[in-house]
Structure formats: C-alpha cells, structure tokens
Amino acid sequence: MNKLTEEVFRENGFRLHVIPHQKHKTIAFVAKFRAPLDRDTITMRALLPYVLKQGTKAYPSRKELETQLDNLYGATLSIDGTKKGNNHIISVRLEVANDKFIADESTVMDNAVALLNEVIFHPNVENGAFSQAITDREKETLKQKMNALVDDKMSYANTRLIDEMCKDEIYRLHVHGYEEDLASITPENLYQYYQTAIQHDQLDIYVSGDVESNSMKEKFISSINRDADSGLATNQPEAAKRIGRPDTVIEKQAVQQAKLHLGYRTNITYSDEDYFALQVFNGLFGGFPSSKLFINVREKHSLAYYASSRFESHKGLLMVFSGIAPKDYEQAKEIIEQQMEAMKKGDFTDKEIKETKGLIGNQLLETLDNQQGIIEMLYQQVIGNKQMSPEELIAGIKQVTKEEIVNVAKKMELDTVYLLTKNGGNADE
C-alpha cells in the first residue's frame, strides 16, 4: 500500500489535517466537532445536524443548498452525530470533484471551502434564533429516528445492554438524545447551544485527496477564525468498574426472535499496547464468519440466526450479539461463554491466526480505499490520543503472537447478560 502522509497545522482555534494522495478523483472535507457527552445538552446536540442541513444564510432552504451542491459538479454533503468513548462527535462531510479533472474549471476548491465554512459558521438564523418551522420539523424527524431505533430490536437490545452495563457511567447516554427533552428545545436555546459548541468544541478539519498542503492551509486559515481555542473540555475520569457476579437482565416484549447480547469489559483501549492483539482476538472470537461464535453457536449447534462480536476501543467494551429462539436462551448463553473460555485457553490454531490477520488486513485496506474511511481511521488517533498511522496499525496486527491473544482473552470480564425475549417465554424459569 502507498504510505499515507498527514500534515497537521494548528491555527485560528482549530487543527487542519491535510492528507495529500492521488488515490481518488474527489476531494473529501470533514470537520469534526468534539465535546464530552453531557446529559443536559445531548438532545440539542443530536438535533443540530438535522437543523444545519436545512439551509444556511446564503442558501436558506434545503433546495437552494442542494442547488449549490449541484453547481459544484454533484458534491455531496452530510452532517451527523456519533459517540466514541465518552465523546460526542458532530461530523460535517463535503466531498467534491477535483477541478484538476474538469476542463476550464479552477474554482471548485475555493467554492467548496467557502460552502463548508457557510454550512458550519453561517446557519439560517433570524433575530438570534433558528427558524421555528425548521426546528419543529426536525424535532419531529429526530423523534422518528428515536422510535425507529426502538423498533429495530437488534439496535434496541444493544442500547439496553449499554444502559445496564454503564448505568453509572457517562457512556450510557444515547447519542440520538431523549424524547422527553424535545419539548423544552426552542429555536432560541438551540441557537445558543450551537454558538457554544461552534466556539468551544475541539475542532479538527480533514482534507483528503490530490491537494497541496500549503494551498489548503491558506484557504482554511483565511476563511475560518475562531476567537479562542478552548482545546478540549476533558472528560472526567471514571473509576474502573469492579466486576463481581455478572448482571443478568431479562426484558419481555412481543417479539418472535429473542436477542441475547453479552457485554464484556476488555480492560484495553486504543492507546494500549494490547490494542493490536485485541483486533486479532475479536476476529477469532466473533468478528468474521470463520470465528468461534459464528461456527459454534450458529453453524454447529444451529442456535442463532446470527452470532458475532465487536469492540468499542475508546471505552474498552466488547459486545456479543446473537438472535436466538427464546427456548434456546440457556444453551446459547452457555455455548457463547464456552467460546470465551476456549479463547482464554488458547484453543485456536496458528493457521486460524494467520487467516484472521489476513481478513483484518483486507478490511483495513478496504477502509483505506474510501475517502471517508481514511479520515475516520486517522481521527481515531485524535480520540485515542495516540499517534498510530494506518501502516503502523497493519504492521502491528501482523506481529501479534498467540500468547498476546491469550493475554487479551484473559483480561475479558463478563459484565452484563441482556436478553430480550417474547412474552410468555421461559427465560425466567
């Protein structure tokens, strides 16, 4: 793979990350606003992307904004919010054609930077408030999103697992906010929160593509100037949770397929030396169709419609997901726990390790074939507060030993078992 270089400039209250390469014919711009998760403001923060997408001062309607994107040769714009560890991230993404490939065109980059600046810093505001009609409409859109997540029982079960597992931790907060907060959000207080976020969040702007670093630096430094760089309002450190006997939570609804989700504490985060081995551990345990969970729970015993695992590297959690028949709860849970014990005993072969490393490597290379994937992978370094290039990550994974994988497995502690089952199911017998 061609080595990616990342040049970072810190000016005017933000950090500009330029990743010059010739892998794509588009230029990707991503602005990431980072703040600690906060129950008091999480719903307003979740609502902001919906409102900001509806128009700006220069393009006050969604239609006018779409027209300007069309004028930029079909540029694409998206704004969303995500949770990484105890951080709430708002991402503004703009991807445009590179004007080097457009005959008699040299203004796309300037116009793209101007549009990104417009969307972020010049929203559609009158008399110190967002539009009442837009605010009301987007509150309803967000409410529908919340309800859709409840209706998606796999997502619902995972949310409930985190609710129970992290009930005394900030990570429990729902990134889409809470329906009971919506009534108290007004165009005025939402705009006041927007001003606070835009000024005091940690802001990182990424530019990826066939660009020249100093040219990009000049464009952004001249167009964006935050009065002060507050740095990052740091998260309050949380005491490590002591695991006694795992909690078991059983919830009953009108469902046909039960959801059995298990939450483990990995005691490992992105900045730890064990991170490479955690990647390989998860691949062997539940990350791929060749993993222990898929083979043993789904294929060999036919107990699950799906069975997999994933980890949250900034919080130090590993979640197991399975969809089962309600009557198979005890057996499925037992076999899942047996797979974890097998990992702790080193019950996997060198061939399986090699194949899993290859699968992870291919996955990472696929991520790097995508403009947004490149930026997301590099942003991990900001959240994890550790410099680690994609090349270093791939090299680190290749060097993982069986002993290191077993050591990772031995750090796993089962925290919570969550079962969503049907009314009248026998899970509580």
Side-chain angles (χ1 to χ4, degrees), residues 15 40 162 214 283 286 292 296 329 368 407 412:
R15 284 184 299 202
D40 292 339
I162 299 300
N214 285 325
K292 285 189 175 295
N296 290 286
Y329 163 60
L368 292 171
N407 287 339
M412 298 286 161

Coordinates of all heavy atoms in Angstrom, one line a residue, residues 15 40 162 214 283 286 292 296 329 368 407 412:
R15 N -7.5 22.6 14.3 CA -6.4 21.8 13.7 C -6.8 21.4 12.3 O -7.9 20.8 12.1 CB -6.1 20.6 14.5 CG -5.3 20.9 15.8 CD -4.8 19.7 16.5 NE -6.0 18.9 17.0 CZ -6.0 18.0 18.0 NH1 -4.8 17.8 18.6 NH2 -7.0 17.3 18.3
D40 N -27.2 17.0 29.9 CA -28.0 18.2 29.8 C -28.2 18.8 28.4 O -29.1 19.5 28.1 CB -27.4 19.3 30.7 CG -27.5 19.0 32.2 OD1 -28.3 18.2 32.5 OD2 -26.7 19.6 32.9
I162 N -26.1 -1.5 26.8 CA -25.2 -0.4 27.3 C -25.9 0.3 28.5 O -25.2 0.7 29.4 CB -24.9 0.6 26.1 CG1 -24.2 -0.1 25.0 CG2 -24.1 1.8 26.6 CD1 -22.8 -0.7 25.4
N214 N 0.1 23.4 1.6 CA 0.1 24.8 1.9 C -1.0 25.6 1.3 O -1.5 26.6 1.9 CB 1.5 25.4 1.5 CG 2.6 25.0 2.4 OD1 2.4 24.8 3.7 ND2 3.8 24.7 1.9
G283 N -11.4 -10.9 15.9 CA -11.6 -11.6 14.7 C -11.7 -13.1 14.9 O -12.6 -13.7 14.2
G286 N -15.4 -13.5 17.3 CA -16.7 -13.2 16.7 C -16.8 -12.2 15.6 O -17.9 -11.8 15.2
K292 N -15.2 -18.2 16.1 CA -15.8 -19.2 17.0 C -17.3 -19.0 17.2 O -18.1 -20.0 17.3 CB -15.1 -19.2 18.4 CG -13.7 -19.8 18.3 CD -13.1 -19.9 19.7 CE -11.7 -20.6 19.7 NZ -11.9 -22.0 19.2
N296 N -19.6 -22.1 16.0 CA -20.1 -22.9 17.1 C -21.6 -22.6 17.5 O -22.3 -23.5 17.8 CB -19.2 -22.9 18.3 CG -17.9 -23.5 18.0 OD1 -17.8 -24.7 18.0 ND2 -16.8 -22.7 17.8
Y329 N -32.3 -20.0 25.1 CA -31.5 -19.0 25.9 C -30.4 -19.6 26.7 O -29.2 -19.3 26.5 CB -32.4 -18.2 26.8 CG -31.7 -17.4 27.9 CD1 -30.8 -16.5 27.6 CD2 -32.1 -17.7 29.2 CE1 -30.1 -15.8 28.6 CE2 -31.4 -17.0 30.2 CZ -30.4 -16.1 30.0 OH -29.8 -15.4 31.0
L368 N -9.2 2.0 3.7 CA -8.3 3.0 3.2 C -8.6 3.3 1.7 O -8.0 4.2 1.1 CB -6.9 2.6 3.4 CG -6.4 2.6 4.9 CD1 -5.1 1.9 5.0 CD2 -6.4 4.0 5.4
N407 N -3.5 -13.5 26.3 CA -3.4 -12.5 27.4 C -4.6 -11.5 27.3 O -5.2 -11.1 28.3 CB -2.1 -11.7 27.3 CG -0.9 -12.6 27.8 OD1 -1.1 -13.5 28.5 ND2 0.3 -12.2 27.4
M412 N -10.6 -10.3 29.6 CA -12.1 -10.1 29.4 C -12.9 -10.5 30.6 O -12.7 -11.6 31.2 CB -12.5 -11.0 28.2 CG -11.9 -10.7 26.9 SD -12.6 -9.2 26.2 CE -11.2 -8.8 25.0

